[in-house]
Amino acid sequence: MITHCWRERLEAQELVAIDHMLALAADFDEEAGFSTATPAVPGHGGDVHHLLVRMPPKGERESPDLDALPDAEVVGYLRLEVADGTGSVQLVIRPEFRSLGVATLLFERLDSESDGWASIPGLRVLRAWSHGAHPAADRMCRRFDARLEHALFKTLRQIGGSRPFDGDPLPTVERIGNAEVPELMPDHDLTMAPAEKAALKLASSTITDASGARTILGAHPEQPASTAAVLALVHEVGTPVAALKGLLTQGLLDLQECGARTAQLYVDALDDAFVSASRELEFIHDQSDLLYARELPV
């Protein structure tokens, strides 16, 4: 039904085919905000491997239903970056070829065949992000005994307009311009859908309180009022809820003054103080981004 092959470096024609497939998938998944993949992005210090999944041309497939699907040079793409025995995985299947067992069959072969995971030197653990409620993510993870390792909650808070946000500003703050929104967890930003990535690239500034904890704002005075502005909270483990709430409050006040009408905040699901502060400020859960890990069979 399918074939797969690894590449250390993609040929120009292969990269064009993958980019075309990823563009189709991004358009198809835009509303859901599912993960995408980044074949051309350099590694973060690990060795990058590319896996291409292909299907035979029409007339050479296993059923009339498969023959009815379009001819495509690439029906799936997996990017694997390996560092210290851990491989960060991005996998995208072309929309027309989903729900056919392509991903399941691929992982079964990668487990059992010599040109699968065993062909990647030193690879012991796989890690992958699922952005949003992807219909196949939980099923695949249960099928291959992956565990949930971490989670980030994307939350939203309406501000401004006829019901403006009201809170107590911090008595002493320091503001610095041109800050970048940090990556909260390894590879989380890398695997976001294009629209999600774009939101993190808004013009940014930083608010720092007396403890050194800081809130990073992504907002631009010329944005349309309907555009979501971004908040990112950076703090040490053990920072009290009151301090986190104060920083978020000041961030919401600053964004509101810029004319933003929606604030977006990623919350570490394992940080109880962070979760409590966001809930007290009435941030509403929008989606869960889940990080799965799987030890490879020996």
Side-chain angles (χ1 to χ4, degrees):
M1 177 182 175
I2 60 170
T3 59
H4 68 268
C5 60
W6 291 103
R7 294 282 189 268
E8 300 301 313
R9 183 184 300 273
L10 292 167
E11 301 293 336
Q13 181 179 351
E14 293 173 332
L15 186 56
V16 168
I18 292 169
D19 283 343
H20 175 66
M21 187 207 75
L22 294 177
L24 292 175
D27 287 344
F28 186 84
D29 294 331
E30 182 177 7
E31 184 175 350
F34 293 155
S35 307
T36 184
T38 51
V41 172
H44 289 187
D47 297 323
V48 177
H49 308 265
H50 308 273
L51 186 140
L52 284 67
V53 184
R54 295 186 169 95
M55 184 171 286
K58 291 183 179 184
E60 300 179 21
R61 300 172 181 174
E62 298 177 356
S63 72
D65 290 339
L66 292 177
D67 283 337
L69 298 173
D71 278 323
E73 184 174 348
V74 177
V75 301
Y77 167 71
L78 185 148
R79 182 186 189 274
L80 175 70
E81 181 175 349
V82 182
D84 299 324
T86 297
S88 297
V89 176
Q90 301 171 42
L91 173 65
V92 176
I93 303 297
R94 181 169 166 142
E96 303 98 319
F97 294 83
R98 297 177 185 176
S99 301
L100 300 174
V102 171
T104 300
L105 178 58
L106 174 65
F107 273 71
E108 288 175 346
R109 291 184 176 180
L110 292 176
D111 274 354
S112 62
E113 298 181 2
S114 59
D115 60 348
W117 305 122
S119 66
I120 307 299
L123 181 61
R124 300 187 300 274
V125 179
L126 302 175
R127 298 169 78 246
W129 280 99
S130 172
H131 294 261
H134 199 296
D138 184 63
R139 182 176 69 250
M140 285 285 289
C141 289
R142 284 187 281 107
R143 168 70 176 79
F144 292 99
D145 295 324
R147 55 183 167 80
L148 180 61
E149 185 173 272
H150 211 113
L152 291 175
F153 297 150
K154 177 186 172 186
T155 66
L156 302 174
R157 208 316 182 166
Q158 299 303 310
I159 54 179
S162 61
R163 299 181 62 185
F165 172 73
D166 185 24
D168 296 326
L170 291 174
T172 304
V173 296
E174 179 183 3
R175 290 180 173 84
I176 303 172
N178 301 319
E180 293 185 359
V181 176
E183 187 173 52
L184 298 181
M185 289 291 298
D187 298 329
H188 177 255
D189 296 0
L190 185 67
T191 58
M192 282 180 170
E196 296 287 336
K197 292 180 185 179
L200 296 181
K201 295 181 180 179
L202 300 172
S204 299
S205 61
T206 301
I207 300 171
T208 304
D209 71 359
S211 75
R214 56 197 173 103
T215 296
I216 299 177
L217 313 180
H220 200 289
E222 286 78 30
Q223 288 178 331
S226 60
T227 302
V230 173
L231 278 174
L233 193 60
V234 180
H235 62 284
E236 298 294 332
V237 175
T239 303
V241 174
L244 301 181
K245 185 177 177 182
L247 277 166
L248 290 175
T249 296
Q250 187 65 63
L252 289 171
L253 291 171
D254 280 26
L255 292 179
Q256 186 168 255
E257 187 175 345
C258 288
R261 293 294 177 262
T262 304
Q264 173 185 305
L265 173 71
Y266 277 100
V267 178
D268 185 335
L270 302 184
D271 187 331
D272 292 339
F274 196 173
V275 172
S276 295
S278 66
R279 287 177 175 169
E280 288 184 23
L281 289 172
E282 300 180 356
F283 280 88
I284 304 301
H285 179 273
D286 181 64
Q287 76 175 36
S288 294
D289 293 353
L290 307 177
L291 177 62
Y292 293 97
R294 178 185 180 233
E295 284 73 25
L296 290 174
V298 178

